[in-house]
């Protein structure tokens, strides 16, 4: 996998570009430090090269976006489809402009229709920042409902409705679009998740080949599964949005209205937990923040105190000092022992999937490095989890068969701040 990174010092964005599966497909990621990310698949050859976009970013960056698209040989007139992760303006704000330039079809969750046709809720208006969704009525929008007669996609016991499958991406890949299962507290009622599979679409009863290199799969998570969210930013716009949200909620409380709690840890909780536990390895492209490795090592094997409390039946809000209760000490020790056994099992699975020593060390190093950032409580947990990773590797050093992996990984993470 060839990957190039361009850091823009003057403007708040970063661009990554990589060729997938040694084929004709290139994936370009545009990561905005003060806005939402968007992603472009490019495939085909010569004048026929086409593009599929996942989200279109914040219209505030309109001129910058058109400039960097041109700089990376992405012709807006050659866009054939635009997939919208959800209704917030920083994800769909340029969809109408790009669709009208190219004639591209826009693919969105069926619930997105209410956003386009109106009327808009107070919370919708809060996030619009001047964007007018009714402009999308002039575009070719396909509203995706769960496919009839097609099973849902199970992830760690939770069923994700399949909205579209087998969208071809170049010679050797395709996309499946999944809906986020409904829950009491959702980030957005039209959130979709896009899964890139490094293989051509399967037809009929053709047997699907096993996933031999799971980290070659990519999950575009929108605002469902984040490393950093827009409200965690210290930029003026993020602070301004927080103030406006707090003011709106205060006025609502005084007038008797009720607003959903915006704690991102509680939004789509079942879906996030299923995804966190459901993948041995998968690359995640979030709506905000940089891409990261999704792996069940984090929730199953590197248990911070809050993880232990939840496993023991307490809420996320429980005080960590509860673990000082002598009656819980044995149960916590048992959970940590189980976590280490699962860690060994996962490493064996990686080796079975064909990952070599250097690759495993790189993956473990990256997972350690990516345990940073987020809201105050999440940041606290990730800092603690880094120490748990070090402790786990220190224990692995005593394993005659795998101690060399621990030695090499600990050496690599030594210099990570």
């Amino acid at each position: 996998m060839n990957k190039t990174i361009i850091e823009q010092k003057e403007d708040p964005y970063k661009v990554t570009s990589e060729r997938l599966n040694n084929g004709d497909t290139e994936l370009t990621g545009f990561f905005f430090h003060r806005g939402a990310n968007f992603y472009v698949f490019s495939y085909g050859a010569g004048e026929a090269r086409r593009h599929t976009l996942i989200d279109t970013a914040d219209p505030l960056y309109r001129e910058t976006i058109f400039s960097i698209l041109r700089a990376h040989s992405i012709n807006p007139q050659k866009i054939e489809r635009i997939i919208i992760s959800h209704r917030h303006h920083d994800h769909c704000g340029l969809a109408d402009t790009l669709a009208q330039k190219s004639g591209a079809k826009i693919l969105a969750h069926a619930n997105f229709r209410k956003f386009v046709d109106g009327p808009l809720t107070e919370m919708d208006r809060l996030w619009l920042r001047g964007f007018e969704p009714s402009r999308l009525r002039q575009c070719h929008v396909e509203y995706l409902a769960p496919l009839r007669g097609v099973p849902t996609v199970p992830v760690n016991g939770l069923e994700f409705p399949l909205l579209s499958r087998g969208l071809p991406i170049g010679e050797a890949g395709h996309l499946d679009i999944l809906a986020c299962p409904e829950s009491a507290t959702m980030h957005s009622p039209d959130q979709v998740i896009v899964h890139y599979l490094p293989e051509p679409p399967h037809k009929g009863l053709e047997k699907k080949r096993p996933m031999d290199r799971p980290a070659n799969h990519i999950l575009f998570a929108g605002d469902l599964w984040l490393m950093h969210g827009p409200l965690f930013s210290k930029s003026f716009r993020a602070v301004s949005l927080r103030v406006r949200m707090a003011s709106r909620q205060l006025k609502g409380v005084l007038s008797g209205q009720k607003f959903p709690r915006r704690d991102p840890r509680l939004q789509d909780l079942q879906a996030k937990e299923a995804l966190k536990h459901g993948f041995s390895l998968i690359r995640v492209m979030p709506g905000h923040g940089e891409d990261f490795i999704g792996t069940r090592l984090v929730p199953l094997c590197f248990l911070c105190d809050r993880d232990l409390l939840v496993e023991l039946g307490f809420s996320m809000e429980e005080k960590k000092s509860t673990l000082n209760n002598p009656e819980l000490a044995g149960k916590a020790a048992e959970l940590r022992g189980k976590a280490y056994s699962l860690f060994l099992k996962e490493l064996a699975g990686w080796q079975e999937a064909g990952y070599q020593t250097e690759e495993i060390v790189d993956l473990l190093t990256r997972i350690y490095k990516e345990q940073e950032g987020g809201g105050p409580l999440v940041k606290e947990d990730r800092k603690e989890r880094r120490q748990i990773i070090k402790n786990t590797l220190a224990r692995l050093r005593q394993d005659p068969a795998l101690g060399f992996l621990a030695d090499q990984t600990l050496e690599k993470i030594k210099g990570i701040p």
Side-chain angles (χ1 to χ4, degrees):
M1 180 191 308
N2 297 319
K3 185 172 184 177
T4 60
I5 298 178
I6 299 175
E7 287 277 6
Q8 186 74 16
K9 301 299 183 182
E10 295 80 11
D11 295 318
Y13 68 85
K14 183 177 81 170
V15 180
T16 66
S17 181
E18 61 185 285
R19 190 162 295 279
L20 301 176
N21 311 326
N22 297 316
D24 70 328
T25 301
E26 188 172 17
L27 173 62
T28 307
F30 300 90
F31 300 87
F32 284 80
H33 299 309
R34 298 178 192 144
N37 306 330
F38 72 102
Y39 305 92
V40 181
F41 287 100
S42 303
Y43 37 86
E47 294 296 324
R49 198 155 180 79
R50 309 290 292 177
H51 311 288
T52 289
L53 270 63
I54 298 179
D55 282 341
T56 61
D58 193 327
L60 176 70
Y61 298 112
R62 175 191 174 97
E63 296 307 318
T64 299
I65 288 170
F66 278 103
S67 175
I68 59 179
L69 286 176
R70 289 192 298 268
H72 290 82
S73 301
I74 298 170
N75 184 349
Q77 295 182 341
K78 297 294 184 179
I79 299 171
E80 64 175 346
R81 66 173 77 92
I82 298 170
I83 302 171
I84 299 299
S85 68
H86 63 290
R87 67 180 59 186
H88 293 157
H89 82 287
D90 54 339
H91 294 266
C92 65
L94 283 176
D96 61 314
T97 302
L98 291 171
Q100 288 170 4
K101 280 183 175 293
S102 61
K105 178 190 294 186
I106 298 173
L107 302 177
H109 192 291
N111 289 341
F112 190 75
R113 184 190 292 272
K114 298 177 183 177
F115 177 65
V116 174
D117 292 344
L120 298 175
T121 67
E122 285 296 309
M123 191 56 70
D124 283 336
R125 292 190 180 281
L126 180 63
W127 287 95
L128 281 180
R129 303 297 297 273
F131 172 63
E132 180 48 66
S134 63
R135 293 200 297 262
L136 290 165
R137 298 175 195 169
Q138 309 303 317
C139 304
H140 180 190
V141 183
E142 182 176 344
Y143 298 103
L144 304 175
L147 297 174
R148 293 183 178 180
V150 176
T152 54
V153 178
V155 180
N156 199 55
L158 185 66
E159 303 295 329
F160 286 74
L162 185 61
L163 303 181
S164 181
R165 66 176 177 178
L167 295 174
I169 297 292
E171 299 171 342
H174 74 272
L175 301 177
D176 289 344
I177 303 177
L178 311 177
C180 183
E182 292 187 8
S183 65
T185 304
M186 301 184 72
H187 181 76
S188 179
D190 46 22
Q191 174 78 54
V192 304
I193 305 155
V194 183
H195 182 191
Y196 171 79
L197 296 90
E199 54 195 34
H202 298 280
K203 299 178 180 179
L205 298 177
E206 179 185 352
K207 186 177 180 180
K208 186 175 180 179
R209 67 179 179 81
M211 187 193 299
D212 56 346
R213 301 282 288 185
N216 287 348
H217 286 233
I218 306 174
L219 201 67
F220 297 86
D223 280 359
L224 177 67
W225 194 6
L226 296 172
M227 289 300 280
H228 302 271
L231 297 185
F232 303 146
S233 169
K234 296 181 180 179
S235 70
F236 174 79
R237 292 180 67 232
V239 172
S240 173
L241 181 57
R242 281 199 293 269
V243 171
R244 289 170 62 233
M245 287 184 67
S247 175
R248 183 68 60 88
Q249 290 180 339
L250 178 59
K251 290 179 181 177
V253 169
L254 294 176
S255 63
Q257 298 180 40
K258 291 184 179 181
F259 287 88
R261 187 176 180 184
R262 301 300 295 180
D263 184 341
R265 297 178 305 158
L266 302 179
Q267 295 172 14
D268 305 289
L269 186 58
Q270 283 187 305
K272 287 188 290 193
E273 289 304 305
L275 292 172
K276 289 176 183 178
H277 288 78
F279 294 101
S280 173
L281 290 168
I282 194 166
R283 294 177 60 209
V284 181
M285 300 292 181
H288 298 269
E290 297 186 23
D291 63 298
F292 60 94
I293 294 292
T295 172
R296 56 185 173 230
L297 281 184
V298 172
L300 293 180
C301 306
F302 305 138
L303 302 177
C304 66
D305 286 351
R306 206 180 316 275
D307 296 328
L308 287 172
L309 286 167
V310 171
E311 286 290 325
L312 291 169
F314 296 95
S315 75
M316 288 191 294
E317 309 301 329
E318 184 69 26
K319 293 181 179 179
K320 293 184 179 182
S321 59
T322 301
L323 289 173
N324 297 332
N325 185 333
E327 295 181 4
L328 296 179
K331 295 179 179 179
E334 184 179 340
L335 286 173
R336 291 208 183 278
K338 180 181 177 182
Y340 184 72
S341 297
L342 290 172
F343 176 62
L344 296 178
K345 183 178 179 180
E346 285 297 303
L347 289 185
W350 292 6
Q351 291 175 319
E352 188 177 338
Y355 288 99
Q356 302 300 309
T357 298
E358 184 177 352
E359 293 175 303
I360 293 175
V361 170
D362 286 344
L363 285 167
L364 290 172
T365 301
R366 182 172 179 183
I367 291 164
Y368 173 86
K369 183 178 180 180
E370 290 170 347
Q371 289 302 307
E372 63 174 351
L377 294 178
V378 173
K379 187 175 182 179
E380 176 185 311
D381 289 347
R382 287 172 177 163
K383 182 178 180 180
E384 184 183 336
R385 204 172 282 122
R386 278 191 171 188
Q387 187 58 51
I388 298 300
I389 293 174
K390 286 182 178 179
N391 295 345
T392 302
L393 291 170
R395 181 175 179 180
L396 187 66
R397 267 182 163 164
Q398 311 306 314
D399 190 304
L402 297 172
F404 64 96
L405 282 175
D407 286 335
Q408 293 183 35
T409 306
L410 284 168
E411 184 62 30
K412 288 197 72 170
I413 67 178
K414 187 185 299 182
I416 297 175

